[in-house]
Amino acid sequence: MFTKTRTAIVASITVAVLALTACTGGSTDDGNGSPGDDITIGPFGGEQLAIGDPVRGGSFTYGLSFSVPTLDSAAAMGGSTEFALTAVYDNLMRVEPDGSVGPGIAEGITTDDNLVWTLSLRDGVVFSDGEPFDADAVIAQIERVAAEDSASLEAADARSIASVTALDAQTVEFTLAAENSQFPLLLAQGSMSMIASPKAVEELGADFAFTPVGAGPFVVDSFTPDGDIVLSRNDTYWDEELPYLDAATLTPVLDEQSRISGVLSGDLDASSVASIPALQSARDQGALGLEEPRYSGYLFQPNIENEHLSDIRVRQALSYAIDRDAINDVLFEGLHSPMDSYLVPSQPFYEAGLVPQYDPEQAVALIEEYKADTGVTEISLELMVNQIQESSDLGALLQQQLGEVGIDLQPTVMEPATQISNIVAGTFDAMLMDRAFPAETTQIFSQAFGANFRNFGSGTNPDFDALIAQAVAAPTDADRQAVIPEMLAVLSEWMPVVPIVSTGLGRVLGPDVAGFPDGDPNATSSEMFDLRKVWMAAEQSS
């Protein structure tokens, strides 16, 4: 068994791979012919690795795309944070490969009218501190998420619950303020799905964010905010067959090429990349690469309350000013999809031609009309971008393209925690974000463009809100899905975001990884995969 240190991982950043080689087809063979035979298409439609039968034991080091500021499941989360929290808390329910919601820690959830829902918990489940995982614990978590001072992105969803009651120790009844056929999804991801030990929350206070207690497959041995998360197997986990690993370390390596280098050097066992060229580059250098589908893309997210971006003409001008084909060619070697809609082409409900495409003359005309009507002489905007190099590069291209039509765009790299603080306070002009729009489209549309914390642009539209209400109350999946084209039509007129280009998703694996599951394309974060089902080669596990 070998040991990885933080120093070694940081050192590998200095030798990051700088060039992306051309993608020529994407063989998953490692050059020796062996791993390729063990790669199949998994239940979610992505590539998965299984060399032999699962092996218990071993340690696994994963390079996170983002840093994690807190491990409190009632705090704001996204990206790497939600992935890490799932390892500690697990989820009440799970999204199945067919998009339905199935059992997790909870055995199931039922309703007769989409208004009153009954959640059944498993018998005998305990938190890692030995306290019972029961109905009272679920209620305590819902109350934390719904609290007035809650920072959770699901706070508005929790407040849509009129009452929550323990029918007995293993049964929770939720009565909603309005019918919601998609309520089980709220218990399959995010703050309401990850239940904390009420005793630990009370006793630890603010320190709970650094020493959390859940009922998930792993426990936290140590955690440094925005640094390493060291995990070990939870021996009291309810599923006795999982996890396979004895230990896992989640370490933030924000630069994509540095993550590839870390895998190649052995400092990391695995990581993710957000583009097809980067995945092919890793393969060309000898790493094993798994490609996964993902319904996501880069979006220019305006703050609709900004004096300039509140005007639809400026938002339309932004879209006309962006040369998406050029961005795709420069950043992604032409292998991604320029977005002409609010959904990527691979998404089941994609509809083409809804977003204004490159026409700089039209952009200039709209800007001049806006200036003439308002008396504005110049438009200057700060664009928040994250610490990933690809985002910085995209920000620089947008700065150049918007500058050509008279918009002064200033990209500013910020940590995720700073971005969230600015979003909550409304003190930002615009942000560049990689956002997923899962196949369960109406739920994410409600979160992205309705009145809640996940609507980062803060804009609302009464026509869109009416469609959200219609979808939420729809009695069947077919009825709900029938609303999606109408939602897309309103988005096209409203333009609360400016879609740019699709993102990709690949996993880069080192030689000691023998088992790695495919990820869910419906996940809101590219970081999400089932850490419970990763296993190491027998010699590393012994």
Side-chain angles (χ1 to χ4, degrees), residues 365-447:
L366 286 167
I367 292 298
E368 292 304 317
E369 178 184 316
Y370 166 73
K371 288 181 176 179
D373 287 351
T374 61
V376 168
T377 58
E378 63 178 29
I379 300 175
S380 180
L381 302 170
E382 181 183 45
L383 178 69
M384 297 193 301
V385 300
N386 62 39
Q387 299 154 299
I388 297 176
Q389 185 62 46
E390 183 180 274
S391 296
S392 298
D393 292 343
L394 179 51
L397 287 175
L398 291 173
Q399 181 183 38
Q400 176 186 345
Q401 292 181 357
L402 298 188
E404 293 173 355
V405 301
I407 298 175
D408 176 28
L409 185 71
Q410 296 297 324
T412 303
V413 176
M414 296 183 186
E415 295 179 348
T418 303
Q419 290 195 40
I420 291 174
S421 295
N422 289 343
I423 291 166
V424 172
T427 54
F428 75 104
D429 297 333
M431 66 182 295
L432 182 63
M433 61 185 302
D434 171 5
R435 188 152 206 169
F437 289 98
E440 190 50 83
T441 307
T442 54
Q443 171 75 10
I444 195 67
F445 273 2
S446 173
Q447 293 176 341

Side-chain angles (χ1 to χ4, degrees), residues 208-368:
F208 182 82
F210 314 112
T211 54
V213 177
F218 295 92
V219 297
V220 177
D221 291 338
S222 65
F223 167 56
T224 302
D226 298 319
D228 288 357
I229 306 168
V230 181
L231 307 170
S232 60
R233 181 206 305 274
N234 177 9
D235 291 330
T236 65
Y237 185 54
W238 65 269
D239 189 336
E240 296 180 355
E241 299 299 319
L242 297 172
Y244 299 130
L245 296 167
D246 282 340
T249 298
L250 312 179
T251 186
V253 183
L254 306 185
D255 178 73
E256 184 171 75
Q257 293 306 310
S258 298
R259 294 197 300 277
I260 294 174
S261 294
V263 174
L264 292 171
S265 69
D267 292 326
L268 301 174
D269 290 310
S271 193
S272 64
V273 293
S275 73
I276 303 305
L279 178 63
Q280 187 59 39
S281 174
R283 287 169 170 167
D284 290 345
Q285 296 172 77
L288 181 62
L290 305 179
E291 186 173 347
E292 298 185 8
R294 187 162 185 251
Y295 306 137
S296 63
Y298 274 116
L299 309 177
F300 185 105
Q301 173 68 73
N303 181 351
I304 303 298
E305 296 179 351
N306 175 273
E307 62 170 322
H308 305 305
L309 296 172
S310 61
D311 194 298
I312 182 63
R313 293 170 295 185
V314 176
R315 302 199 297 274
Q316 290 171 335
L318 289 170
S319 190
Y320 281 122
I322 296 174
D323 187 344
R324 295 167 175 81
D325 289 325
I327 289 172
N328 188 32
D329 289 340
V330 170
L331 291 185
F332 306 114
E333 300 179 15
L335 298 173
H336 288 211
S337 299
M339 293 181 68
D340 66 347
S341 181
Y342 292 88
L343 303 172
V344 295
S346 60
Q347 217 272 4
F349 300 103
Y350 166 77
E351 184 176 337
L354 299 181
V355 175
Q357 297 298 288
Y358 184 54
D359 186 343
E361 293 182 357
Q362 181 65 21
V364 170
L366 286 167
I367 292 298
E368 292 304 317

